[in-house]
Amino acid sequence: MNKTWLITGCSSGLGLHIAQAAAARGDNVVATARDPDTLRDLAERFPDRVRTARLDVTEPESAAAAIALAERDFGGFDVLVNNAGYGLIGALEEAEPEEYRPMFEVNVFGLIETTRRALPVLRRRRGARIVNLSSGAGISGGAGSGHYSATKFAVEGLSEALAREVAPLGVRVIIVEPGPFRTGFLGRSIATAEREMEVYAGTAGQRRAYRESNDGRQAGDPEKAAAVILRAVDADHPPLHLPLGPVAYGIAERKLEAFRSDMEAWRSVAIDTDYGPTAEVAP
Ligand code: NAP
């Protein structure tokens, strides 16, 4: 059965590759971007199956318009991909609110508002999927990307809660956690805190250096990433968490080991905190 997709941030990178892969196999796609001109090639390649729309995730009415287009032309959609997002490099102390708050508007609040407008349509479809782009930085925080990690940790928590809310309604949530993939991410889609402090040269400063030397050299192939995401969407039992690529797998494994090790080391002390036997029911 062909699916219909609605994808944010299709001007380049993972969003574009997911849109191309879905359309190439015969699915319908509402491909969206802040500047719909960037989608012209895609629309020309697949005139029957691709519709394009302007969607800035910080403008919920633009999401509503794209959703209305999907309903009008395709009778709704089965898969929402919340892909739009960008990063910020800087130590916690270095970045100013005017530098990090707009990223929360896009990565977190934009994702929430797009999803809220899509849910009434998705709830009507059998086997609907919501794919939320998190990151390896959504699994573990690294020096120099704390603010970005905070946005992606927010995506993780929201998505886990949403998964529990919509599973009984037949909608599944997939949190994609990519490692480094060769997209616009380390170039035009990452901001850098203007203030640079010498005390953070050995920590957050390393992230600035990483960006300089790795833009365009990331090992991850976004076409392969898109293929894995399509497989996960198609699965009868899709994963809630999908670390993508070997770097993301390494991050997840180290996180699990460190978490487990802290818990084991402190279990006997940290667990002894209740008043005594109670009848409390876990939420
Ligand atoms: P990309 O090629 O730079 O794509 C980012 C996309 O987000 C662009 O289409 C950009 O559109 C869009 N976008 C930014 N702000 C937007 C807004 N307000 N409304 C709508 N679209 C907006 O980078 P990418 O790697 O494909 O990034 C896609 C997602 O993967 C992001 O959520 C990112 O955090 C995540 N991710 C990427 C990597 C990686 O290494 N590539 C790793 C972990 C997570 P414009 O053209 O208008 O700027």
Side-chain angles (χ1 to χ4, degrees):
M1 269 275 285
N2 286 355
K3 295 180 168 68
T4 300
W5 300 60
L6 191 148
I7 308 169
T8 66
C10 293
S11 67
S12 68
L14 295 171
L16 179 59
H17 282 278
I18 296 166
Q20 277 169 346
R25 75 175 190 180
D27 286 358
N28 299 319
V29 179
V30 177
T32 73
R34 287 192 288 194
D35 175 3
D37 275 356
T38 58
L39 306 169
R40 204 178 298 144
D41 283 356
L42 184 70
E44 281 171 8
R45 275 180 65 197
F46 305 103
D48 301 339
R49 302 198 278 282
V50 171
R51 297 288 179 276
T52 61
R54 195 190 81 82
L55 197 168
D56 182 328
V57 297
T58 64
E59 297 172 14
E61 62 282 9
S62 69
I67 289 164
L69 174 74
E71 290 198 272
R72 191 194 70 199
D73 284 14
F74 298 130
F77 55 98
D78 312 277
V79 187
L80 169 68
V81 185
N82 284 307
N83 164 75
Y86 72 96
L88 170 67
I89 295 177
L92 193 99
E93 193 178 346
E94 289 172 334
E96 298 293 337
E98 57 271 25
E99 292 176 310
Y100 63 76
R101 281 181 173 258
M103 180 176 57
F104 281 79
E105 290 293 341
V106 173
N107 294 7
V108 183
F109 304 126
L111 178 146
I112 293 174
E113 292 308 315
T114 305
T115 306
R116 291 184 63 217
R117 278 153 189 80
L119 275 167
V121 181
L122 293 169
R123 284 191 280 104
R124 291 203 299 268
R125 306 289 268 220
R126 282 201 73 78
R129 306 281 188 253
I130 298 171
V131 178
N132 286 341
L133 265 292
S134 173
S135 168
I139 301 173
S140 181
S145 54
H147 307 86
Y148 176 61
S149 265
T151 68
K152 294 301 190 180
F153 270 62
V155 169
E156 297 266 339
L158 280 163
S159 304
E160 288 180 1
L162 178 66
R164 290 172 191 265
E165 290 165 3
V166 296
L169 311 176
V171 181
R172 303 293 294 260
V173 178
I174 302 168
I175 311 167
V176 180
E177 296 146 334
F181 280 83
R182 203 174 300 170
T183 66
F185 186 72
L186 282 187
R188 67 190 188 86
S189 289
I190 210 155
T192 307
E194 201 170 308
R195 185 174 184 208
E196 196 170 347
M197 297 169 67
E198 185 54 35
V199 284
Y200 296 115
T203 51
Q206 296 301 306
R207 180 76 56 186
R208 294 174 189 257
Y210 168 83
R211 183 246 180 116
E212 293 297 316
S213 51
N214 284 279
D215 182 23
R217 302 183 60 228
Q218 303 95 319
D221 177 347
E223 196 176 330
K224 290 186 175 173
V228 176
I229 292 168
L230 263 67
R231 276 187 72 163
V233 162
D234 290 344
D236 289 337
H237 302 287
L240 175 58
H241 293 276
L242 183 63
L244 207 50
V247 172
Y249 257 79
I251 291 170
E253 270 156 15
R254 287 192 295 280
K255 168 81 180 222
L256 290 171
E257 280 163 24
F259 208 142
R260 170 70 59 197
S261 155
D262 279 350
M263 284 177 65
E264 293 306 332
W266 282 82
R267 177 184 294 274
S268 61
V269 179
I271 214 163
D272 189 20
T273 52
D274 281 356
Y275 283 112
T278 68
E280 186 183 277
V281 178

